[in-house]
Amino acid sequence: MKWRRLFSLRRWAHVFQRIFRYLASPQITIVDKLLFFIPVALYWVLPDVMPLVPIDDIGVTMLMMNWFVSRIERKYPGIEQN
């Protein structure tokens, strides 16, 4: 992932527009959705298990959102392109 793309407001607008559509879509398997939910939920519930990771809960969630949207767009190229 390129840093320029990570800090792009256009990219984050795209991520926030797509994340809820993808999570609610019946076309995406539950396994793919759990690849997003489980790490985020664990980090929100158990942040003290990883004390050396200096990223806040929302930072981990946003990085996982970016990864999830990128992964779904690669895996399901024809899904909801509007």
Side-chain angles (χ1 to χ4, degrees):
M1 177 182 337
K2 295 185 179 190
W3 289 104
R4 176 181 242 168
R5 184 175 171 198
L6 184 64
F7 293 124
S8 169
L9 291 178
R10 182 177 292 172
R11 173 64 186 168
W12 284 108
H14 174 78
V15 168
F16 282 112
Q17 288 173 353
R18 301 294 172 121
I19 187 75
F20 298 110
R21 288 184 198 167
Y22 291 157
L23 290 174
S25 175
Q27 298 169 334
I28 298 173
T29 64
I30 191 73
V31 174
D32 289 329
K33 293 175 186 178
L34 288 176
L35 283 174
F36 170 71
F37 276 123
I38 290 174
V40 169
L42 285 176
Y43 194 83
W44 277 76
V45 173
L46 305 170
D48 296 329
V49 174
M50 300 178 281
L52 299 177
V53 179
I55 302 175
D56 192 30
D57 298 346
I58 194 68
V60 170
T61 303
M62 290 179 69
L63 290 173
M64 286 298 295
M65 285 172 47
N66 190 29
W67 171 80
F68 179 75
V69 168
S70 297
R71 183 175 185 278
I72 294 301
E73 288 176 346
R74 281 192 314 268
K75 188 170 182 180
Y76 302 96
I79 195 167
E80 296 187 36
Q81 291 298 325
N82 50 3

